[in-house]
Amino acid sequence: MALKDLLDTPSSGSLDRPRNLWSMLHLDPVLMVLILVLVCAGLFVLYSGADRNIDVVKAQGVRLAVAFVVMLVFAQLDPAVFRRWAPWLYGVGIVALAAVLVVGVGAKGAQRWLALPGLPRFQPSELMKLVVPMMAAWYLSRHYIPPRLPQVAVGLAIVLVPMVMIIEQPDLGTSLLVGMAGIFVVFFAGISWKLISACLAMVSVSAPLMWFFVMRDYQKQRVLTLLDPQSDPLGAGWNIIQSKTAIGSGGLEGKGWLLGTQSHLEFLPESHTDFIVAVLAEEFGFVGMMLLLTLYLLIILRCLYIAVTAQDSFSRLVAGALTMTFFIYVFVNIGMVSGLLPVVGVPLPLVSYGGTSSVTLMAAFGVLMSIHTHRRMITA
C-alpha cells in the first residue's frame, strides 16, 4: 500500500454510519495497527534492555494493557465532552499541582507525587500533558482565529502557570512536554511570525537570567555535560559517553538481539528506560534505527492527517498539539541519548519501561481517535 493510500484511508465510521467493529469502537484502524506494531517492537527490545528479565516485560505488558483500555475509553467520548470539561479539568490540575508543592510525596530529591487516602500514588503533572492543550484550545477556539495579542497573552498564561509549577517540583522533562503541548496550540491558532520572532528574541535575552537565577545546579550540570561530557567521564558524563559508544558500535546491521555488550555488561545505565534506544541501535544498528524512525514517522503523519481533517477549531488545535507533543517525545529522547540535547528524563514513547507515560500517550491517542471517528456528515 502506498504511503498516500495509507494516510488517506478513512475510518469506516467517519462521515458515515457505523458499519464494522472498528467504527463501533471508535478506533482508527490505521493508527491502531501502527501503535500495536510499535508496542510489540518495544516489548521485544525491552526484554534485551532489561537483561532478559521477563518480569519487567510482563509488568510493562500489564501497564500497556491498562493504557489500551484508557485509550478505548477516551475514544468513545465525543470531542464536545473534552471541550466542555477542559476548564474544570484545568482547575483540578492546578489545585493538584499546588498540593504537590505543599504535601507531595518526594523521591530522589523531587516532590512530584500525591498520595491521597484510598487512592494509589499518582503524578498530577502527567495529567497536564492532556489538559493544558485542551484548555488552551478551549480558550482560543472561543475567539476569532488567528487570535489577537490579548488572546495570545492569555493562551500563553494558561500554558506558563502549570509549567512553572512543574519546574518547581522539580521536573524539567515533564514541564518541557507540558509547555510545548500548550505552545503548539497557540502556534497552530495562527499567530503572526512577527510575534513568534519577538517571543524568540525575549527568550534569547532572558537566557542568561535563567542560567543565573532560575536553573538549579543539576540542570546547569546537564548543560555543561552536553557541551563537554569528557570533563567528567566517570561522573556526570558517564551516561552520555556510554550511550554514544553503544550507538556507534552497532554499525549498519547491529550485533544482534541480546548480543549488545554495553547494556548486558552494565556499562549503559537505565538501559530499559530512558536509554533504551541505545540498546536498539547497538543490537539492530542503523537499519533497526531507520525502521523505528519510519514507524514513528507514519504514526505522526497519520495523526497530522486526523488533525487536518478535524471539523472544528477546538478539535484541530488539540489534535495538532497532541501530535506534535508525541513528536517532541521522540525528538528529545533520541536527541539526549545521542548527545545532541541535555539529559532531561524523557522516555522513548511506548518503548521505554514505564507506566505513567504510556497511559498518558495512549489517552492522547484515544482523544485523536475520538476526534477522527466522531466526525459527522455535513449536509447542505
Side-chain angles (χ1 to χ4, degrees), residues 343-363:
V343 176
V344 292
V346 174
L348 187 65
L350 303 181
V351 177
S352 294
Y353 179 78
T356 306
S357 62
S358 298
V359 171
T360 303
L361 284 167
M362 296 303 288

Side-chain angles (χ1 to χ4, degrees), residues 145-188:
I145 292 180
R148 298 180 178 179
L149 185 59
Q151 286 77 46
V152 172
V154 174
L156 291 176
I158 290 172
V159 178
L160 290 176
V161 170
M163 187 177 178
V164 171
M165 297 177 73
I166 295 171
I167 290 176
E168 287 298 315
Q169 294 180 359
D171 190 350
L172 183 60
T174 301
S175 67
L176 171 67
L177 294 172
V178 170
M180 293 304 297
I183 289 173
F184 276 127
V185 172
V186 180
F187 176 77
F188 289 139

Side-chain angles (χ1 to χ4, degrees), residues 18 25-26 29 47 54 72 78-79 103-104 107 118 154 166 170 174 199 250 253 258 280 286 289 295 303 309 340 348:
L25 294 177
H26 292 285
Y47 179 69
I54 192 63
L72 182 62
D78 192 282
V103 296
V154 174
I166 295 171
T174 301
C199 291
E253 298 180 353
L258 304 177
L280 185 146
F286 178 78
M289 281 299 302
L295 185 56
C303 293
T309 57
L340 300 177
L348 187 65

Side-chain angles (χ1 to χ4, degrees), residues 64-322:
L64 288 170
V66 173
F68 271 103
V69 172
V70 171
M71 183 194 71
L72 182 62
V73 171
F74 273 62
Q76 309 314 302
L77 302 176
D78 192 282
V81 175
F82 301 121
R83 181 169 59 245
R84 187 181 312 120
W85 281 94
W88 299 99
L89 292 174
Y90 183 81
V92 170
I94 293 297
V95 171
L97 290 178
V100 168
L101 297 177
V102 178
V103 296
V105 178
K108 296 182 180 180
Q111 190 167 310
R112 305 172 183 173
W113 295 268
L114 276 181
L116 301 179
L119 294 176
R121 191 178 72 169
F122 67 100
Q123 193 172 345
S125 57
E126 286 291 329
L127 172 68
M128 303 308 285
K129 293 178 183 177
L130 294 175
V131 173
V132 168
M134 287 184 186
M135 181 60 189
W138 173 85
Y139 173 77
L140 292 175
S141 64
R142 293 166 61 89
H143 298 81
Y144 290 110
I145 292 180
R148 298 180 178 179
L149 185 59
Q151 286 77 46
V152 172
V154 174
L156 291 176
I158 290 172
V159 178
L160 290 176
V161 170
M163 187 177 178
V164 171
M165 297 177 73
I166 295 171
I167 290 176
E168 287 298 315
Q169 294 180 359
D171 190 350
L172 183 60
T174 301
S175 67
L176 171 67
L177 294 172
V178 170
M180 293 304 297
I183 289 173
F184 276 127
V185 172
V186 180
F187 176 77
F188 289 139
I191 62 176
S192 67
W193 285 104
K194 290 183 179 180
L195 186 56
I196 294 175
S197 301
C199 291
L200 291 176
M202 291 177 60
V203 171
S204 300
V205 172
S206 62
L209 297 177
M210 293 180 62
W211 177 268
F212 290 107
F213 301 106
V214 177
M215 295 181 67
R216 299 170 184 261
D217 291 338
Y218 79 94
Q219 294 169 340
K220 295 179 181 179
Q221 183 60 53
R222 288 177 177 178
V223 176
L224 295 174
T225 301
L226 170 69
L227 298 175
D228 184 15
Q230 295 294 338
S231 62
D232 189 9
L234 299 180
W238 174 265
N239 290 9
I240 191 61
I241 292 173
Q242 298 303 320
S243 175
K244 292 168 69 174
T245 300
I247 293 173
S249 65
L252 180 62
E253 298 180 353
K255 299 177 179 177
W257 186 48
L258 304 177
L259 298 179
T261 56
Q262 294 299 114
S263 57
H264 295 298
L265 296 179
E266 299 184 357
F267 287 103
L268 181 66
E270 307 295 337
S271 59
H272 66 296
T273 54
D274 293 347
F275 286 84
I276 195 169
V277 73
V279 177
L280 185 146
E282 182 181 22
E283 297 187 353
F284 297 96
F286 178 78
V287 174
M289 281 299 302
M290 289 305 298
L291 290 174
L292 177 69
L293 292 177
T294 299
L295 185 56
Y296 278 131
L297 177 62
L298 291 175
I299 292 175
I300 292 169
L301 289 176
R302 183 62 183 179
C303 293
L304 287 175
Y305 171 79
I306 292 174
V308 170
T309 57
Q311 288 185 314
D312 59 83
S313 297
F314 173 82
S315 297
R316 283 192 293 271
L317 293 175
V318 170
L322 293 180

